[in-house]
Amino acid sequence: MDKRYQVYLAILLLVLIGSIIGAANIGPVHLPWSALLNADPQDMDFQIWTNIRLPRILLAVIIGIALSVSGTVMQGLFRNPLADPGLLGISSGAGLAVAIALVIPLGLPAFLSLWVPVIAAFIGSLLVTLLIYQLSGLTKGNLSSLLLIGIAINALGGAAVGILSWVSNDQQLRQLSLWGMGSLGQTQWPLIIISMCLIIPTIVLIQCYAKQLNLLQLGEEDAHYLGINVHKTQRQLLILSALLVGTAVSISGIIGFLGLVIPNAMRLIFGNNHKVLLPASALSGAILLLVADTIARTMVQPAEMPVGLLTSLLGGPWFFWLILKEQWKRRS
Amino acid sequence: MKLAHLCFATLSLLVTTVSAQAKERIISIGGDVTEIIFALGAQDELVGRDTTSNQPAAVNKVKDIGYMRQLNTEGILSLKPTMVITSDLAQPSAVLEQIKKVGIPVVYVSGKHSLQVIPQKVETIAKALHREKEAKPLQDKMNKTIAALSSKQLPVKVIYIMAHGGMSNLVAGRDTAADSAIHDAGLQNGMGTSLHYQPMSQEGIIAAAPDIIMTDSDAIKTIGGADNLWKLPGVSMTPAGKKHNLIVIDQMALLGFGIRTPDAIKDLRAKAEALPHG
Amino acid sequence: MNNQLNNRLEGKNIHLIKNNQSILSDVSITLNQGEFITLIGPNGAGKSSLFKVLTGFYHPTNGECYLKGVKLQDWRKKELAKERAVMKQQSQITFSLSAIDIIKLGRSPWAEPINKAMIDEVTEMTECQELVNKDYAFLSGGEQQRIQLARVLVQLWREQGPSGWLFLDEPTSALDLYHQQQMLRLLKKLVQNFPLSVCMVLHDLNLASLWSDQIYLLNKGSIVAKGNVQEVLTEEILKTWYGADLQIIQHQEYQKPYVMLSL
C-alpha cells in the first residue's frame, strides 16, 4: 500500500476518533465526563450516557460504515459509479415489509410494536436478498440482468407501498414517511449488539475480498484468466453487501446518499484500489453519518431533524467540490 | 455560627417542601393533552410541548420538542422534565421507552376519536397532576354538554374537505376524527363508505351528494376563499354547492377531541340545523 | 510420452454451439512450448471463440482441452492462471487504476509477495517505464496494449522468465509500426529462450508471416489450413478463404511469403 494512503487513512481514523469525542461532548443535555467515570447506576447523567448518548454514537458509526462499504462493493461489483445499496431493491423490499407491518393490524402487544418495523425490515431485506441470490444463479451471474431485476423490484415495491399508504390512516402514513427519511433514534442496546454482530464480521470478510474486487475491475473475462471464480465471487460479495444494507435499513430506516457519494468521493481521493478504498469508505462513512446525526439531534433541540436530510446537505456540496476539483485537474 | 446553620437548614427545608408540593416539570405531547393541561391551570408547569400543540395561543411560548413521531430523547431530557404526558398516538416510540428507562414517568392518554373518551382524558391527566379538584367542574360541564347533545339523527349528509396545498384536496372517510365528529353531531358522513382521508374525486363528490360542506379556515385559505370552493370540480353540482351550504370549523376544537370538542359538536349541530336542506 | 504431454496444450475435436448456432466444429489444435503460433482467418471465423475455449473461459459443447495432459476444467483456477495468460483485444476499465497497479494485478494468482526487481525487468522489456505511474484510463490504445502485455508477462513469470501459454488477441491492433516490431521481436525472443508458447490472433498476414512458426487458418468455425508459413500463406489458399484479390511475393531477405493486395 502506498505510504501516502496509509497517512491519509491514519488521518481519517484520527478524525473519526475526534468526531466521536466531539459528538460525546455535544448534546441537548450537559453531561459531565465524571458522571460516566463514576458509573453510578442511580445517577441520571450516567443513565443518559450509557443508555442514550453513547449507544447513539456507536450506532451512527456502524451504520455509516455499513452503508458506505456496501455502496463501495456494489459499485465495484457492477463497475458502475451510479450503483448504490438501493439499486438491487433491498431497501424497497425492507420498506414494503415495514409498510405491510404498519398498515395491517397484527394485534401485537405494545412493547413488541416497537420492534415491528425493525423485524419487518430485516425480513423484507432478507427475502429480497435471497431472491437476488436465486436469480443471480439463474442468470448465471449476468449482472446487467440483475440490475434490471433490481429496477423491477424497486418499481413493484414502490407501487405496493403506494397502495398500502393509500389505505393507511394518518398516523401510519406519517410513521411510514418518517421511516423513509431515516433516523438513528432507535438506540436500544439489544439492537445495537445484534447489528454489530452482523456488520463487523461482514466488513472484515469484505475486506478480504479487496483483491478480488480489484481483479473484477478488469472485467469478468480478465478476472477469470487471473484465476478467480468470477460468478461465485460476485454472488458472495452481493450477499455480503446485501446483508450490510439489510441490517442498516432495519435499524435506521432509509438513509440515502451515503452509499452513493462516500465511495465516489473516496475514489477521487484514494483511487480505485479496493484495499485502500474499502477502509477509507468505512471511516469516512462513519464520520459523515456521525457528524450529520450529531447535528440532527442538537441543531433544533429539543426537537430533532431527519438525519437523511443532513447527510445530503453536508455531503452534497463537498462531493460537488471534489468533482469540480477533479475536472480542473484533468483540464490542466 | 450555629444559628446561621440552623437558619440555613430551615430555609432549605422550606424551599424543598414548597418546590415538591408545587412544581412538576411537564412535557406535553398531543394538542388535546396540552389543552387539557391548560384547562386544569397547570400551564406554569409545562416546560415542553410537541408541534401539534398550538392551542391556546399562550402555548407557543413553551419550547417545541418537534413532531410526536420524531422525538429527540436527549432534547426532551435537556428540559429536565419530571413527567411526560402524551397522547397514545405517539406510540410506539423508542424515545418514550428510553425516557421511561431513565426514570421519568410517562403518562399515556387515549388517542381515540370519541366523545366519551374526553372526560377520561381529563381524568387521567388530572390524576397525574394531582388536580382532581380543578378537573371536577370541567368534567361536570363537559358531561352536561355531551348529555344535552341531541340524539336525534338528522338525515343530512356532510363531507369534510381538507386542503393543505399539494396535488389534490382530501375528503374524510371512515375512521377519521372528522367522521366521528360528524356522527357525534347526529349527522351523516357523505363519504362514510371510503376509508381514511382520500383524494377528492369529481364524480365521487357528486355521487356522495352532500347537503353541507364542512371545512376549516386553513383550507379556505388554501383554496383561495369560499367563492373558489364552489368552483371546485364537482362541488357545484352537489346539493351543498347549489345552496352554498358551508360550515367553517375550528379544526383543533372539533377534531382534536379535547375539552373544546363537546361545545364544537354542539355548535356544528346547531349550524347544520340552521342551514336550508332537504 | 509423458514429457511430451507435459509441454503442450491441445484442443481435441472441439465443437462449440452458442445460441443454437455452431461456432466451432471439430477443431483440433496443439500448442507446444517453444512455439509461436498464429490464428488467422476472415471476420467471424471463430478465432476469438477458439481462444476462449482454449483458455478455459468457454466449455466446449463437445471435445476437450488438455493442458499438460489434464483437462482444462480439472485445473484449479489459480494454478491454471499461473500456466496460461490471456491478453484481450481491449480491456475497458470503469474505475481506473494506475498502470503499475494493473501490471501488478497480473501477479495475483501467486501467493508470494511481489518481486519488485521482476516488475522492473518486465516494464523495461515492454518499454513501459514512462507509463507506470500514469492513470490507465488516460493512456492511448497502444499504450494500454503495452501495459497489458507487461501484465500478462508478469502473470507467467518464473525465476528467469515467462513460462507457460500466452494467448494474445490482436495485440498489435493499436500499436505503431515501431511498437508492433518491438512487441513481436520480444515475444519471439521469449519463445526461443523460455518454455513459453505464444498463440495469437493476427489480422496482418505479413506480421504473421515474419514471426510465426505455425499458422492455423480458420473459416466458419473449422480449421481449413495449417502448417508453416510457406504452407499456409499461398495465393490459392488465401484467395479461396478470404475471397480477396491478392498476390504473394517472397520477402527478399528472409524467404518468407509477403502478401500484397491488388488494386
Side-chain angles (χ1 to χ4, degrees):
Chain A
M1 197 191 291
D2 200 321
K3 265 266 161 57
R4 189 168 46 124
Y5 294 149
Q6 286 180 4
V7 174
Y8 284 3
L9 282 181
I11 291 172
L12 276 182
L13 185 63
L14 287 178
V15 173
L16 177 60
I17 293 170
S19 314
I20 291 174
I21 295 172
N25 267 314
I26 304 170
V29 180
H30 173 76
L31 288 180
W33 285 90
S34 59
L36 182 62
L37 299 174
N38 288 341
D40 172 9
Q42 297 302 313
D43 183 6
M44 170 107 110
D45 283 350
F46 178 69
Q47 289 288 328
I48 298 178
W49 265 120
T50 53
N51 280 326
I52 293 161
R53 194 174 290 176
L54 291 182
R56 184 155 184 167
I57 289 171
L58 193 58
L59 194 65
V61 169
I62 52 174
I63 299 288
I65 290 175
L67 289 175
S68 49
V69 167
S70 78
T72 312
V73 173
M74 290 286 187
Q75 289 174 9
L77 211 48
F78 288 91
R79 302 209 288 150
N80 185 338
L82 295 179
D84 86 330
L87 193 71
L88 292 176
I90 295 163
S91 6
S92 32
L96 178 57
V98 169
I100 291 172
L102 288 181
V103 173
I104 294 171
L106 298 166
L108 292 171
F111 75 96
L112 253 183
S113 59
L114 203 54
W115 290 75
V116 164
V118 179
I119 297 164
F122 194 73
I123 292 172
S125 49
L126 209 63
L127 286 179
V128 174
T129 304
L130 287 177
L131 183 72
I132 290 167
Y133 188 77
Q134 284 303 321
L135 291 172
S136 72
L138 279 182
T139 58
K140 300 212 174 87
N142 184 343
L143 289 181
S144 49
S145 39
L146 263 191
L147 265 183
L148 290 175
I149 289 167
I151 291 170
I153 294 176
N154 273 324
L156 273 174
V161 169
I163 290 171
L164 283 168
S165 48
W166 184 60
V167 300
S168 68
N169 65 27
D170 240 26
Q171 198 192 356
Q172 292 162 339
L173 193 63
R174 296 212 184 173
Q175 209 172 341
L176 204 56
S177 68
L178 281 170
W179 188 85
M181 282 191 256
S183 163
L184 294 170
Q186 294 277 356
T187 43
Q188 303 175 71
W189 276 112
L191 266 186
I192 293 177
I193 288 164
I194 293 169
S195 60
M196 277 170 66
C197 291
L198 287 169
I199 288 172
I200 293 172
T202 311
I203 299 285
V204 173
L205 260 175
I206 285 177
Q207 185 65 37
C208 300
Y209 276 93
K211 188 165 124 182
Q212 278 94 321
L213 266 172
N214 283 342
L215 287 173
L216 285 176
Q217 301 316 303
L218 295 172
E220 290 181 19
E221 208 181 319
D222 278 332
H224 171 86
Y225 295 140
L226 281 163
I228 70 169
N229 191 335
V230 175
H231 292 164
K232 201 172 124 200
T233 310
Q234 284 174 337
R235 261 176 121 178
Q236 288 165 342
L237 278 168
L238 210 57
I239 294 307
L240 288 177
S241 149
L243 193 63
L244 288 182
V245 185
T247 312
V249 164
S250 311
I251 292 165
S252 59
I254 293 174
I255 299 177
F257 194 77
L258 217 60
L260 180 64
V261 162
I262 287 286
N264 276 309
M266 289 304 109
R267 286 177 197 284
L268 293 177
I269 297 172
F270 286 89
N272 294 307
N273 182 347
H274 286 81
K275 282 182 189 162
V276 193
L277 185 61
L278 286 168
S281 294
L283 289 172
S284 49
I287 294 169
L288 180 61
L289 191 57
L290 180 56
V291 171
D293 185 55
T294 305
I295 295 174
R297 67 185 168 86
T298 54
M299 198 159 83
V300 292
Q301 61 174 291
E304 175 167 333
M305 293 172 76
V307 67
L309 297 183
L310 279 160
T311 48
S312 315
L313 221 56
L314 285 175
W318 171 58
F319 186 49
F320 199 61
W321 176 76
L322 274 177
I323 291 171
L324 284 181
K325 210 179 79 176
E326 182 71 11
Q327 293 301 322
W328 284 322
K329 211 171 82 186
R330 283 188 190 192
R331 200 168 292 174
S332 58
Chain B
M1 195 61 189
K2 229 179 181 176
L3 193 72
H5 260 278
L6 196 68
C7 273
F8 184 72
T10 333
L11 200 69
S12 51
L13 196 70
L14 206 69
V15 169
T16 38
T17 35
V18 165
S19 64
Q21 224 171 29
K23 283 276 177 182
E24 288 273 7
R25 294 178 61 86
I26 306 163
I27 302 237
S28 162
I29 300 169
D32 48 345
V33 175
T34 308
E35 278 190 36
I36 293 172
I37 290 174
F38 268 77
L40 293 174
Q43 62 267 36
D44 291 342
E45 297 173 20
L46 207 57
V47 293
R49 48 110 194 171
D50 77 319
T51 309
T52 62
S53 303
N54 48 20
Q55 289 288 335
V59 83
N60 290 317
K61 276 183 263 166
V62 179
K63 275 236 162 92
D64 184 351
I65 58 162
Y67 180 60
M68 66 163 81
R69 304 222 57 86
Q70 195 175 28
L71 299 170
N72 178 350
T73 316
E74 268 201 53
I76 292 174
L77 291 177
S78 72
L79 301 172
K80 306 207 180 321
T82 55
M83 181 187 292
V84 175
I85 304 179
T86 175
S87 164
D88 250 354
L89 297 176
Q91 269 191 321
S93 161
V95 171
L96 293 175
E97 292 304 312
Q98 286 178 335
I99 285 173
K100 239 187 269 175
K101 213 180 250 170
V102 287
I104 293 165
V106 177
V107 177
Y108 290 101
V109 177
S110 170
K112 274 202 199 115
H113 301 138
S114 148
L115 265 182
Q116 279 65 42
V117 168
I118 303 174
Q120 280 174 31
K121 289 183 185 179
V122 176
E123 195 170 313
T124 312
I125 297 170
K127 211 163 153 196
L129 297 177
H130 305 292
R131 285 177 185 267
E132 286 95 338
K133 226 176 13 188
E134 289 89 333
K136 193 85 181 64
L138 260 177
Q139 283 167 306
D140 288 347
K141 185 172 161 271
M142 232 181 317
N143 284 330
K144 226 163 87 192
T145 316
I146 293 171
L149 282 175
S150 167
S151 57
K152 200 184 127 221
Q153 296 285 313
L154 274 189
V156 172
K157 280 197 259 179
V158 182
I159 61 167
Y160 175 59
I161 297 181
M162 191 163 77
H164 288 304
M167 289 294 286
S168 59
N169 302 319
L170 299 176
V171 284
R174 217 162 4 98
D175 205 7
T176 59
D179 184 67
S180 305
I182 291 169
H183 282 292
D184 285 333
L187 309 170
Q188 319 301 319
N189 183 1
M191 285 300 205
T193 48
S194 55
L195 197 59
H196 309 313
Y197 285 93
Q198 300 293 351
M200 190 171 96
S201 86
Q202 211 165 329
E203 287 194 25
I205 206 163
I206 297 171
D211 301 300
I212 298 173
I213 286 180
M214 181 169 97
T215 186
D216 54 77
S217 48
D218 278 354
I220 293 284
K221 224 181 279 167
T222 311
I223 294 168
D227 289 344
N228 279 342
L229 178 73
W230 305 121
K231 289 179 196 152
L232 286 179
V235 171
S236 58
M237 301 175 73
T238 62
K242 285 173 191 151
K243 295 182 189 132
H244 285 207
N245 278 352
L246 174 69
I247 297 178
V248 179
I249 57 154
D250 176 340
Q251 196 190 3
M252 190 59 220
L254 183 66
L255 306 184
F257 282 84
I259 36 165
R260 293 186 288 150
T261 303
D263 283 324
I265 285 177
K266 193 173 124 194
D267 191 40
L268 173 64
R269 170 74 181 219
K271 278 184 181 160
E273 281 173 357
L275 284 171
H277 45 73
Chain C
M1 181 64 195
N2 218 347
N3 221 359
Q4 249 182 4
L5 270 182
N6 256 338
N7 48 31
R8 64 165 59 152
L9 190 162
E10 34 182 5
K12 285 185 181 166
N13 310 102
I14 289 166
H15 292 259
L16 181 70
I17 296 171
K18 287 251 160 193
N19 298 326
N20 288 326
Q21 283 195 317
S22 171
I23 311 283
L24 296 172
S25 51
D26 203 21
V27 174
S28 293
I29 185 170
T30 304
L31 313 175
N32 290 310
Q33 278 188 342
E35 267 184 348
F36 195 119
I37 292 149
T38 309
L39 295 184
I40 61 170
N43 298 132
K47 301 182 296 276
S48 294
S49 299
L50 180 56
F51 252 52
K52 286 179 182 166
V53 171
L54 292 175
T55 55
F57 190 70
Y58 287 166
H59 289 305
T61 316
N62 261 317
E64 207 60 71
C65 289
Y66 296 90
L67 175 64
K68 292 185 169 179
V70 177
K71 282 184 192 170
L72 265 190
Q73 69 215 54
D74 291 344
W75 278 79
R76 294 188 53 199
K77 287 215 156 59
K78 275 223 168 101
E79 293 309 311
L80 184 59
K82 293 177 184 173
E83 295 288 345
R84 69 96 182 82
V86 183
M87 175 176 161
K88 288 192 308 171
Q89 241 183 86
Q90 259 190 338
S91 286
Q92 287 288 336
I93 292 190
T94 315
F95 295 124
S96 187
L97 295 165
S98 70
I100 187 72
D101 281 343
I102 300 265
I103 294 174
K104 283 180 181 165
L105 282 181
R107 209 56 191 166
S108 60
W110 301 80
E112 302 83 5
I114 289 176
N115 176 353
K116 180 131 195 329
M118 179 265 283
I119 302 275
D120 288 344
E121 192 183 340
V122 174
T123 47
E124 200 188 314
M125 69 172 62
T126 52
E127 299 181 28
C128 289
Q129 304 102 306
E130 312 258 295
L131 308 176
V132 290
N133 288 318
K134 292 189 179 160
D135 191 327
Y136 181 81
F138 293 128
L139 298 179
S140 73
E143 289 170 329
Q144 289 186 347
Q145 280 184 330
R146 280 150 59 197
I147 297 293
Q148 291 291 351
L149 178 67
R151 176 177 70 78
V152 290
L153 287 178
V154 160
Q155 186 181 342
L156 295 181
W157 205 267
R158 317 256 155 158
E159 265 126 63
Q160 301 300 315
S163 142
W165 285 262
L166 180 55
F167 291 83
L168 307 105
D169 195 350
E170 291 224 49
T172 59
S173 62
L175 296 178
D176 58 40
L177 219 46
Y178 168 78
H179 284 106
Q180 288 186 6
Q181 190 181 40
Q182 287 304 308
M183 182 183 277
L184 291 163
R185 277 181 177 172
L186 171 65
L187 289 170
K188 186 80 184 175
K189 198 180 87 190
L190 292 172
V191 167
Q192 283 166 349
N193 294 332
F194 298 101
L196 181 72
S197 163
V198 162
C199 176
M200 64 168 72
V201 170
L202 274 182
H203 269 303
D204 188 326
L205 299 180
N206 290 320
L207 291 181
S209 166
L210 279 178
W211 277 285
S212 310
D213 296 322
Q214 290 281 322
I215 294 188
Y216 286 80
L217 171 55
L218 250 81
N219 188 51
K220 294 191 178 152
S222 303
I223 290 174
V224 289
K226 64 177 176 183
N228 63 30
V229 226
Q230 296 293 358
E231 288 164 341
V232 177
L233 298 182
T234 65
E235 247 177 64
E236 194 198 341
I237 290 176
L238 295 183
K239 274 183 176 167
T240 311
W241 300 112
Y242 278 90
D245 206 1
L246 50 77
Q247 252 188 319
I248 304 260
I249 58 169
Q250 290 298 308
H251 196 292
Q252 287 178 339
E253 208 178 329
Y254 307 110
Q255 297 310 306
K256 303 258 187 191
Y258 193 85
V259 182
M260 293 201 308
L261 282 177
S262 307
L263 199 62

